[in-house]
Amino acid sequence: MSSQTISLKTKFSYGLGALGKDFACAPIYIFLMYYFTDVAGISAAFVGTIFLAARIIDAITDPMMGMVVDNTRSRFGKFRPWIVIGTLINAAVLIGLFSTHLFEGTALYVYAAIAYILWGLTYTIMDIPYWSMIPALSSSRPEREKLVVWPRLFASLAWFITGTYGLYIVTTLGDGNEGRGFQITAMIIAVLFIVSAFITAKNVKEHVKTSIPTTTKFTFKDVLHIINCNDQLKTLIATVLAFQIANMLVGGFAIYYFTYALGNKELFPAYMMVAGIAEVAGVFLFPRLANLIPRKLLWIIACSMPILSCVILLGMNVFSPGNLLLIGLSGAAIKFGVGIANALQTVMLSDVVDYGEFKTGRRSESIIFSIQTMLVKFAGAFGGFIVGVGLSLIGYQANQTQTADTLLGIQWLMIGLPAVLMLISAIVYKRFYRLHDGFNRDDFSSSPPAVTEQKSLSTNA
């Protein structure tokens, strides 16, 4: 088998790793705001603030973890040891995070802040090396596109199950006590998370090495230089951040939107079920779409689908409130676009790794892929911050009947703001991104030679 070809066993094992880790993170992005406000009894504004504060810390620690991984030398490679270590620590923190409801008063607020910050820090240890492996498994872009479908499919499956059945599982396991239900669910997820990580570590091994051998280790100055000199990485950051904040806003407001604006909490799992199926379809069809549609149009399509979703919800609010068909179509539209975007952004990051090696003379998978982890968490944090502050500004009161102005505010934050952010993402991508068909050295022959950048990095080191 060619070193460029990735075996079915490797693809499946890599996908299982995503299943476990996304089972561990989906409840954070779907339910943590609700858990903090309606179960633990923490104010929405405080929750939004700690979400944002944690991401400010991540802005420093995520690239540093990327540097640590890229500097790792072991007989197990530089990725797998950290996947196992990070999973074990993060699984324990996950259980602790969903034990917040056991505290009261000042201790409740202090514990919630510390637990959430620790969750973000420890998830980084595992997530960065996990995604960083992709460019090291094959240098073939078609093989990468085939590979990325597996983790994205398994990840989408985890989000589908969590979104559709999460509240039911929590209620059942807690026997009506949501706090206890969330805690038991977290324990079960932690076990699955650990098992999946060990399967990935055992069966997935890196093959592609840096084309410019070097024993010089990365320093923090190198990290800043690598990010600063890679214009396509900066474009990708802006593009993905706007898209994912919009996606997180919809996910964060959905439970409030269906519970209060539409007055039927049972619509939430129905929406998430259809949305989850559509996201799986988007990921599954991604390789075929990538072959049929010019790459430069795929991200535009991915952004257009969520905008269509917002238009459908707006029409439903005006003409047929609570219409199940329109709710399903709306969920399908946004998540089909998200499925395409999630698969595409991972391939785009792999291309940015190759481009960055050309620009700097050094290969830095983990440093660049640390940006993906940081973007997901930043999107979740900014989304959570907007949800928390937004709910406070519009006068939301947990477990109470909401005023007309509050209901209108929830609808705007669920529909209008995400559409604007998706439009911004499409505009930035269309105007500034250039690696539509992957990195081709001939296309950038006028760029500064890598040896010049290499000298700069060596000087820093």
Side-chain angles (χ1 to χ4, degrees):
M1 181 179 292
S2 168
S3 62
Q4 298 296 328
T5 303
I6 303 173
S7 70
L8 179 61
K9 179 181 178 181
T10 297
K11 292 174 182 175
F12 184 76
S13 299
Y14 191 63
L16 282 179
L19 181 68
K21 80 180 193 65
D22 277 71
F23 263 133
C25 81
I28 303 298
Y29 293 109
I30 296 176
F31 295 120
L32 189 62
M33 172 67 77
Y34 172 79
Y35 169 77
F36 275 162
T37 60
D38 288 41
V39 179
I42 303 173
S43 73
F46 180 83
V47 176
T49 301
I50 63 171
F51 280 6
L52 188 59
R55 298 297 78 85
I56 294 173
I57 296 173
D58 287 337
I60 298 174
T61 59
D62 283 10
M64 287 182 66
M65 187 62 212
M67 179 182 69
V68 169
V69 175
D70 275 331
N71 285 334
T72 298
R73 304 289 184 270
S74 81
R75 67 190 183 95
F76 300 106
K78 64 183 182 180
F79 306 109
R80 292 182 292 160
W82 292 112
I83 291 175
V84 172
I85 293 170
T87 297
L88 291 172
I89 299 173
N90 187 252
V93 174
L94 179 69
I95 297 171
L97 183 59
F98 281 104
S99 300
T100 301
H101 64 282
L102 300 177
F103 294 82
E104 296 180 352
T106 302
L108 169 65
Y109 282 76
V110 173
Y111 182 87
I114 293 175
Y116 180 70
I117 290 171
L118 282 177
W119 178 85
L121 292 174
T122 55
Y123 191 79
T124 291
I125 298 174
M126 170 276 310
D127 195 55
I128 287 174
Y130 177 84
W131 290 113
S132 303
M133 293 183 78
I134 292 176
L137 298 179
S138 176
S139 59
S140 165
R141 194 172 202 260
E143 280 298 304
R144 290 175 180 175
E145 290 178 346
K146 293 175 185 175
L147 169 66
V148 79
V149 169
W150 288 81
R152 289 303 183 185
L153 272 176
F154 277 105
S156 296
L157 178 62
W159 283 74
F160 166 70
I161 293 174
T162 303
T164 305
Y165 302 106
L167 286 178
Y168 173 78
I169 292 171
V170 165
T171 302
T172 301
L173 292 178
D175 194 23
N177 183 330
E178 284 192 319
R180 184 169 177 269
F182 273 112
Q183 189 178 41
I184 296 174
T185 302
M187 292 177 183
I188 295 172
I189 288 173
V191 174
L192 296 174
F193 188 17
I194 292 170
V195 171
S196 70
F198 274 97
I199 292 174
T200 299
K202 181 179 184 297
N203 296 328
V204 182
K205 301 175 183 179
E206 60 201 79
H207 297 290
V208 178
K209 306 297 182 184
T210 176
S211 60
I212 304 177
T214 177
T215 58
T216 306
K217 291 193 173 185
F218 290 96
T219 68
F220 190 67
K221 286 185 178 179
D222 292 340
V223 174
L224 297 177
H225 184 78
I226 286 168
I227 294 173
N228 185 58
C229 74
N230 194 326
D231 59 289
Q232 293 303 283
L233 175 60
K234 289 186 283 189
T235 296
L236 190 58
I237 289 173
T239 300
V240 173
L241 189 59
F243 184 97
Q244 293 297 354
I245 290 176
N247 178 37
M248 294 298 179
L249 278 177
V250 173
F253 277 115
I255 192 167
Y256 298 99
Y257 174 77
F258 291 113
T259 301
Y260 297 105
L262 295 184
N264 187 353
K265 191 175 183 178
E266 299 305 316
L267 291 175
F268 175 74
Y271 173 83
M272 294 300 293
M273 179 177 68
V274 177
I277 293 172
E279 183 174 348
V280 171
V283 175
F284 182 76
L285 293 174
F286 168 72
R288 181 165 296 185
L289 292 174
N291 287 330
L292 296 175
I293 301 172
R295 301 268 167 76
K296 63 181 180 181
L297 297 180
L298 269 181
W299 190 267
I300 306 300
I301 293 172
C303 292
S304 300
M305 296 304 290
I307 293 174
L308 174 62
S309 170
C310 293
V311 172
I312 292 173
L313 276 186
L314 181 61
M316 182 207 68
N317 285 336
V318 175
F319 300 107
S320 183
N323 184 290
L324 268 176
L325 176 60
L326 294 178
I327 288 172
L329 287 175
S330 174
I334 184 171
K335 288 301 182 178
F336 186 76
V338 169
I340 295 172
N342 284 343
L344 182 57
Q345 75 181 42
T346 306
V347 175
M348 289 160 69
L349 268 171
S350 297
D351 296 334
V352 168
V353 168
D354 296 336
Y355 176 75
E357 182 179 9
F358 168 72
K359 293 282 286 184
T360 67
R362 295 178 73 179
R363 193 170 183 85
S364 52
E365 298 103 327
S366 297
I367 291 173
I368 290 178
F369 267 82
S370 72
I371 302 299
Q372 172 166 274
T373 299
M374 188 171 67
L375 285 176
V376 172
K377 291 194 294 186
F378 255 100
F382 278 113
F385 178 75
I386 294 171
V387 171
V389 173
L391 288 174
S392 296
L393 290 176
I394 62 178
Y396 168 77
Q397 297 293 325
N399 301 309
Q400 302 292 325
T401 301
Q402 310 301 321
T403 67
D405 287 342
T406 299
L407 296 178
L408 183 62
I410 290 175
Q411 293 181 51
W412 159 249
L413 291 170
M414 171 76 178
I415 299 172
L417 189 54
V420 172
L421 288 169
M422 288 293 180
L423 183 60
I424 291 173
S425 176
I427 291 172
V428 172
Y429 174 83
K430 180 173 176 55
R431 183 167 182 181
F432 298 107
Y433 192 72
R434 294 185 290 160
L435 302 176
H436 302 295
D437 296 309
F439 171 70
N440 186 332
R441 185 177 293 267
D442 294 336
D443 295 338
F444 296 89
S445 58
S446 61
S447 300
V451 66
T452 302
E453 301 289 354
Q454 174 67 32
K455 183 182 293 185
S456 172
L457 283 171
S458 299
T459 302
N460 288 335

